[in-house]
Every structure is written in C-alpha cells, then in structure tokens.
Amino acid sequence: MIKKWWMAPLLVLVLVLSACSEDEVQEGSGQETEEGLEPLDEKATVIVAEDGAASGAGFYIANEMGYFADYNIEIEFATFSNSDEMLPALASGEVDVAGGISSASFFNSIAQGIDVRMIADKGHNTEGNSYFTFVIREDLQDEITSYEDFEGRTIAVSTQNGVDDYIFQQMLEHAGLTRDDVEFELMGDFGNMLAAMGNQTIDAALQIEPLITQGESQGLHVRFGDATDYAPEAQIAMVLGSPDFLNEDREIAKRFMAAYLKGVRDYNDAFIKETGDLDKIIDIMTEYTALKDPETWKEVGVTGLDPNGKMFVEDIHNQYEVYKENGAIKGELNLDQVVDTSLVEEVVDLIGEYE
C-alpha cells in the first residue's frame, strides 16, 4: 500500500512516486522467517518517507516481494516537499523511516536538535558504471581527455554544499584543480543540464541516471570516467530512522530492516550478479519510479546498494568536515551519535552476510 502523507518530492536525488492502489493487500513471500525474527503477533504499520527515487529500490522490492508482509508489517509511503518538513516528522516519530542525502542544511538541522539517525546504506556509486557521475559534451571528446582538462571549463552542478557539490570538490582535488580554475554553474534541474549541453552553454555536468543514458542516446554528452575514480567510497544516500522506531519499536525495526535488506539483495542478484530475476525486479522499479521503460533499465548505471546495509561512515564524516570548511555548518555536531549501525549489524547477524 502506498499512501501520500504530504505531497511532493523528498531530498533524495530524483523524480516522483508512482502510487499503487489504496486497497491493495500485500501478500507474504511464502518464505520461512529466520529464527529470532518470527512474524510480529500484531500487524505493525511502518511509515516510510520516499519519493520514487531509484535508491529506494530496497523498500519497493521488499514490499512487492512480500518480505515486509512475512513479518506482519504493512508499509505506508509518504512524500514531503523538502527536508525542512520531513526531518521534524521523522524526529517526532510521525514517520518511522526515510531516505536522505547529506548536505550542510541536513547536518545543521541535526545540530539544532532534530534527532534522526543514519542507519543503513541507501546509495553509493559502483565502480565502472556509477549512477551519478560527470558527463562532457560529445563534441569535446578530443579536447577533454583527463580531469585536468576541466580547467577553464563551465561545469554544471545541482547543489552547493550538498553531496553533488562534495563530489564536484573531490573531482577537483583529484585533478589538482581549485574552484577558481573552473566556471561553476549552479543548475538545480538535471533535465536542464541536457538542454544546456545541446545549446553548448556548459561543457560538463555532474549528471544522474537515467539522464546519463538518455543524453548519450541523443548525442548530447558522453560519460566521462567514473565517480569512483576520485570518490571510490562516497556515501550518496542513507536510510534514516526515527529514534522512537529504533528504540521503543526495536522488534519492529529489526524485522523492517531484515525485509529491506532482502529487497536489496534481490536487487543485487538481478543487477549486479545477474543471477536473479531481472525482469521481475525491473517490473517493480518501473512501477515505483519515474523510469517506465524496462529496456532503459537494462542500460542505465544503477544505484549501488549494499546488501548488508553498510555505509561508508568515514566518508559521511568527511562530507561534514568539507561543509564545515566551506563555512556552511552552523553549530557543532557529534556524528558518532547520529550514525547508528547497530540495527543493520544485529539483523545481518540473524539473516547472514551476503557475499
């Protein structure tokens, strides 16, 4: 069941939620649950703030495959216009789980007393085919052959003091460049980057899928290298948890996380290992996300999702320090109290490691 709690997109990197029927009843998968994670005696409803981003695959797949139902959990999806609305709802327990990306404003909200926890991976780049990486104009392939060649070029990035900006800075450092060596073009709409490529007002862009694949097919740009060239362990998005959900509703939270990780494992089996039911997983992704073409799903670089829920914790710290050095952080924040890996560690002990 998908239910809109508040309207519009969340703070993750893409697009819009495709809703299921309100009266749809989700059936279980028929699989046995693990010892120590038997179904709940009473049905529990877990509210998940998610906007149809590809990085929410674990939620969508677990829901459609019946993994939540196996534990007697029903999911309601909620959408918010921005993090200023979502984070207080999460902190107060009105929402149990959400997807989020790092930004200075996100960290500032937590520093100012909004109590939420980063509990699991919800998006990172995969080596060689990153979901989120730089592209250059197709006509510049002979002129831009290394990251050093970005010097003097106009580069579009969707945020300042957000994860896109952090990746941009990592690339500059890798190339031995500074911000003064390039023309930074703030362009919040990824779709507008395609048009800017077409009219040659920008030379490069930090772009996302499926627009990377779309722009290549239209002859507007080409993928340039890979984000893992300069940010091999960048944490792009995280699963966020309400303190009430993680503490007072711990038994529900454990079962929720077990189901989520099973969904992520199906995703990895299909897209990464190529051993799972790719067509079925693509059907689920086309239902929940704005990318509706099954064939395009076979071409795009998919979001990296860790099947054991592990986050690149060191990179989260590094992102915070970069925003702080840029003067964008107000107040002090103890990230060790914000990043909570205990739930995924406890659950993986019960369901086993994925290799």
Side-chain angles (χ1 to χ4, degrees), residues 50-69:
E50 183 54 77
D51 66 348
S55 61
F59 302 139
Y60 317 144
I61 295 168
N63 200 39
E64 292 302 312
M65 296 296 286
Y67 299 145
F68 291 124

Side-chain angles (χ1 to χ4, degrees), residues 207-242:
Q207 187 59 277
I208 61 169
E209 290 286 15
L211 299 183
I212 294 174
T213 298
Q214 180 181 332
E216 286 179 314
S217 67
Q218 295 174 356
L220 297 174
H221 64 226
V222 294
R223 181 186 288 268
F224 188 79
D226 191 78
T228 56
D229 295 339
Y230 43 84
E233 295 187 345
Q235 189 64 51
I236 306 300
M238 299 82 67
V239 177
L240 308 177
S242 157

Side-chain angles (χ1 to χ4, degrees), residues 285-325:
M285 296 303 290
T286 58
E287 178 180 351
Y288 281 80
T289 73
L291 179 53
K292 301 302 182 185
D293 180 13
E295 292 306 310
T296 301
W297 272 108
K298 296 176 182 179
E299 302 295 328
V300 299
V302 294
T303 306
L305 296 172
D306 190 285
N308 295 311
K310 292 181 180 178
M311 296 177 283
F312 294 121
V313 175
E314 184 177 346
D315 190 69
I316 295 172
H317 284 260
N318 193 46
Q319 291 179 40
Y320 173 76
E321 292 300 326
V322 167
Y323 303 145
K324 191 172 181 180
E325 289 171 9

Side-chain angles (χ1 to χ4, degrees), residues 99-317:
I101 60 174
S102 87
S103 67
S105 62
F106 171 74
F107 288 123
N108 283 333
S109 295
I110 298 175
Q112 292 164 14
I114 300 295
D115 188 9
V116 301
R117 309 291 165 81
M118 305 175 193
I119 61 174
D121 175 54
K122 190 177 171 284
H124 60 270
N125 282 317
T126 55
E127 185 176 357
N129 199 26
S130 293
Y131 176 86
F132 176 57
T133 197
F134 281 97
V135 293
I136 62 171
R137 285 204 332 251
E138 191 175 55
D139 63 301
L140 296 177
Q141 292 181 78
D142 292 336
E143 298 178 35
I144 302 176
T145 60
S146 69
Y147 292 109
E148 290 80 2
D149 293 335
F150 278 4
E151 184 173 5
R153 299 293 183 173
T154 301
I155 305 174
V157 180
S158 69
T159 65
Q160 279 187 303
N161 291 310
V163 70
D164 303 54
D165 196 17
Y166 170 76
I167 294 295
F168 170 67
Q169 185 160 322
Q170 295 295 104
M171 183 277 293
L172 291 177
E173 292 176 5
H174 174 76
L177 302 174
T178 69
R179 289 174 180 266
D180 292 335
D181 294 323
V182 301
E183 291 292 329
F184 179 92
E185 183 73 25
L186 184 62
M187 193 173 293
D189 189 320
F190 290 103
N192 288 343
M193 294 179 186
L194 292 181
M197 285 284 185
N199 61 35
Q200 299 189 351
T201 57
I202 62 174
D203 302 311
L206 184 55
Q207 187 59 277
I208 61 169
E209 290 286 15
L211 299 183
I212 294 174
T213 298
Q214 180 181 332
E216 286 179 314
S217 67
Q218 295 174 356
L220 297 174
H221 64 226
V222 294
R223 181 186 288 268
F224 188 79
D226 191 78
T228 56
D229 295 339
Y230 43 84
E233 295 187 345
Q235 189 64 51
I236 306 300
M238 299 82 67
V239 177
L240 308 177
S242 157
D244 287 348
F245 185 62
L246 297 175
N247 297 319
E248 296 177 18
D249 298 325
R250 187 72 173 190
E251 291 304 313
I252 300 173
K254 285 194 296 186
R255 288 158 176 80
F256 174 90
M257 184 56 68
Y260 169 74
L261 291 181
K262 289 177 183 180
V264 171
R265 292 174 180 197
D266 284 355
Y267 174 92
N268 275 267
D269 286 346
F271 285 114
I272 308 302
K273 286 190 173 182
E274 299 182 350
T275 59
D277 189 339
L278 180 62
D279 289 338
K280 186 175 185 65
I281 298 304
I282 287 177
D283 283 346
I284 294 171
M285 296 303 290
T286 58
E287 178 180 351
Y288 281 80
T289 73
L291 179 53
K292 301 302 182 185
D293 180 13
E295 292 306 310
T296 301
W297 272 108
K298 296 176 182 179
E299 302 295 328
V300 299
V302 294
T303 306
L305 296 172
D306 190 285
N308 295 311
K310 292 181 180 178
M311 296 177 283
F312 294 121
V313 175
E314 184 177 346
D315 190 69
I316 295 172
H317 284 260

Side-chain angles (χ1 to χ4, degrees), residues 330-352:
K330 301 174 183 178
E332 292 296 324
L333 178 63
N334 183 355
L335 283 180
D336 291 334
Q337 296 178 355
V338 177
V339 179
D340 184 350
T341 61
S342 64
L343 182 63
V344 289
E345 290 168 358
E346 186 175 355
V347 169
V348 169
D349 281 344
L350 292 169
I351 68 173

